[in-house]
Amino acid sequence: MLRPLLLTLTRISVLLSLLCIPLWLRLPAYPPVLTSYYVVRFVMFLPMLAAVLFWLAGGCPGLRVFAADRWRAGWAIAVLLLAGWASLSQHWAFMERTQPDIAENAALRFMIVALFTLTAACSGITPRAAAAALAISGIWNAALGIAQVNANGAIGLTMLGEFPYTSAGYGTSIVRAGDLVLARPYGLHPHPNIFAGVLMIGGLAASAWLVSARRWQGIMGACAVAFILYGLLVTFSRAAWGGFFVGGLALLLFARLVLRRAALQAVALCAALCLMAGGLFVTEYGPFIAARAGDGQESTELRSVSDRLVFTDFAFRAIREEPLTGIGAGNFPWRASRYLRDTFYDLRGDNVHNVYLLAWAELGTPGLALLLAALACMTIAAVRAIRQERTAWRIALLAGGLALSAVGLLDHYPYSLLQTQTAWWVCFALAGTSIQGVIRA
């Protein structure tokens, strides 16, 4: 009697965790019993931890079925080894003597994400439930982002963790076109690019509704995708735009497996609405789009590009210096700060905007190899599952995972933050969950 209850609680905790991906909200104090690491105070950490503990207490249900597929077993081993390697890197981390908590915090994040990903994949959560949670999050976040753009700043949701900002505030991420200044929307995250990633996977997840047998769901899906797309466009996140395009290509690649004639109307409606959303965006924000594209040589855009080149150079420098062990999980911004002492750049230490270079620099060649192996096994497992159980929900989740992989070429948040690292790995994992049926409590 207890095991079915624990499995139900595991599934509820997994879904709550997915719904928390758009939140940067942190607890006012560290939870009792838990350690005082930065990652622990995120509200999202609690349902993730609860899911893992409920699953372990219930005897790891679904693990045997999960591990029966060598590709699923392969990615599970790879992510757990990656988390273990990140934990070992504490002993040789760049800041180990003065601030050992930096690597310890990063190692804890790796471990909870790895265990949660395995828990989610074994828990019996269906791809449909997971994708629906991400799509619903995308809808309300798109509404929030549009409201912030219209207000040219925060709209007062401080209780939910919204950062107070305006277009005139110091440090605010803006788009400038001549004398015009627009504050990019932050949602409930600390930077518009991270917020854009939430909208990107939400829009791709919502696309699964397009092929529903129920006409009203197809129409709802078309409206949701177009609405989220408009919210994504007004973030002015070029990396997320590119990621959405990559995810869209994945949807088209697998569309023949699930597309029915009855769904063509919904797909056509979605295409028309997306074109309208794009046209409205161009009409309203044309000067800012041109500035973001580099036309006019706006200083903010030139600075954005030049800063990324600097940190890319620092990443290659760190890799050359520590090619095997790396500089330790989470330590790149501090190593970059050390490099900056010898330059004239007016910069503060930051992560390199490429997850693969960041993993290589922090965790060395073994860490990069484990990350790539995990992603490869996840992708293969997902494709195999899609071919055997042809559902749009699996395809939508795979598209989200591939989109975040593409974003990782231009930004670091799919690797460096709890919320988006979880989204990245879980999208892949749930796209390739067991095809032998949902575990029943």
Side-chain angles (χ1 to χ4, degrees):
M1 185 67 183
L2 182 59
R3 294 186 68 180
L5 174 61
L6 289 171
L7 181 55
T8 299
L9 291 174
T10 301
R11 294 171 178 172
I12 292 172
S13 298
V14 169
L15 287 177
L16 285 175
S17 301
L18 296 181
L19 290 171
C20 285
I21 288 173
L23 300 178
W24 191 259
L25 187 63
R26 293 169 55 77
L27 300 173
Y30 289 100
V33 181
L34 298 181
T35 59
S36 57
Y37 293 122
Y38 182 84
V39 70
V40 168
R41 280 182 53 201
F42 283 113
V43 168
M44 181 178 175
F45 182 87
L46 297 181
M48 290 178 68
L49 179 61
V52 173
L53 293 179
F54 287 138
W55 182 66
L56 292 174
C60 302
L63 182 59
R64 185 172 300 177
V65 174
F66 168 86
D69 183 278
R70 67 179 184 275
W71 296 109
R72 291 198 299 266
W75 72 249
I77 292 170
V79 297
L80 291 173
L81 286 176
L82 179 61
W85 183 251
S87 183
L88 281 176
S89 74
Q90 299 173 51
H91 300 295
W92 58 76
F94 175 65
M95 298 294 290
E96 190 272 333
R97 291 185 178 180
T98 55
Q99 289 184 267
D101 59 300
I102 295 170
E104 293 167 0
N105 180 79
L108 177 59
R109 171 172 52 80
F110 268 97
M111 188 59 70
I112 189 62
V113 174
L115 290 173
F116 176 78
T117 302
L118 180 60
T119 297
C122 295
S123 67
I125 287 290
T126 63
R128 177 173 185 163
L134 295 174
I136 291 169
S137 293
I139 293 169
W140 71 261
N141 273 276
L144 171 59
I146 293 169
Q148 288 175 337
V149 168
N150 290 334
N152 213 13
I155 59 174
L157 298 179
T158 53
M159 291 294 292
L160 294 178
E162 183 187 29
F163 288 77
Y165 72 98
T166 65
S167 60
Y170 176 77
T172 299
S173 182
I174 62 171
V175 184
R176 186 185 300 276
D179 295 330
L180 300 175
V181 177
L182 179 71
R184 298 169 61 195
Y186 282 61
L188 300 178
H189 273 286
H191 196 279
N193 289 346
I194 309 170
F195 175 57
V198 172
L199 295 176
M200 177 186 70
I201 60 175
L204 293 170
S207 68
W209 279 319
L210 295 175
V211 298
S212 172
R214 298 173 180 173
R215 186 178 179 184
W216 68 269
Q217 286 188 355
I219 295 173
M220 178 185 70
C223 295
V225 172
F227 182 64
I228 297 172
L229 174 61
Y230 183 77
L232 174 60
L233 290 173
V234 298
T235 66
F236 287 89
S237 173
R238 291 165 295 202
W241 292 354
F244 190 84
F245 177 76
V246 170
L249 291 179
L251 294 177
L252 291 175
L253 180 63
F254 290 100
R256 61 182 179 82
L257 299 178
V258 296
L259 193 59
R260 297 183 295 270
R261 181 172 296 180
L264 291 178
Q265 290 183 341
V267 172
L269 175 62
C270 181
L273 291 176
C274 287
L275 287 174
M276 291 175 61
L280 180 62
F281 172 64
V282 171
T283 301
E284 291 187 329
Y285 301 104
F288 296 108
I289 298 170
R292 194 69 170 155
D295 184 26
Q297 302 297 297
E298 292 290 344
S299 60
T300 53
E301 303 306 325
L302 293 175
R303 178 67 183 267
S304 175
V305 174
S306 64
D307 290 357
R308 295 187 182 212
L309 292 175
V310 168
F311 289 109
T312 298
D313 179 64
F314 287 166
F316 282 115
R317 182 174 171 182
I319 292 166
R320 288 194 301 269
E321 292 174 355
E322 303 290 349
L324 180 61
T325 60
I327 59 176
N331 274 247
F332 186 85
W334 281 263
R335 188 60 168 256
S337 293
R338 178 64 61 85
Y339 293 149
L340 285 168
R341 292 181 185 179
D342 302 325
T343 71
F344 58 87
Y345 301 127
D346 181 22
L347 292 172
R348 299 175 62 183
D350 195 3
N351 286 308
V352 59
H353 283 59
N354 183 301
V355 301
Y356 310 103
L357 286 180
L358 183 56
W360 198 0
E362 291 190 342
L363 301 178
T365 303
L368 176 63
L370 287 171
L371 176 63
L372 294 177
L375 294 175
C377 290
M378 283 179 165
T379 303
I380 294 171
V383 171
R384 283 164 55 88
I386 289 169
R387 291 190 178 280
Q388 295 182 53
E389 185 181 323
R390 301 181 177 187
T391 66
W393 304 102
R394 291 185 185 276
I395 296 172
L397 289 173
L398 174 59
L402 293 173
L404 285 168
S405 298
V407 167
L409 295 170
L410 298 171
D411 220 321
H412 61 80
Y413 62 81
Y415 170 90
S416 60
L417 302 178
L418 175 69
Q419 292 83 349
T420 40
Q421 185 181 13
T422 301
W424 190 21
W425 291 5
V426 167
C427 279
F428 277 121
L430 292 182
T433 49
S434 172
I435 61 175
Q436 299 182 26
V438 176
I439 305 166
R440 299 192 180 278

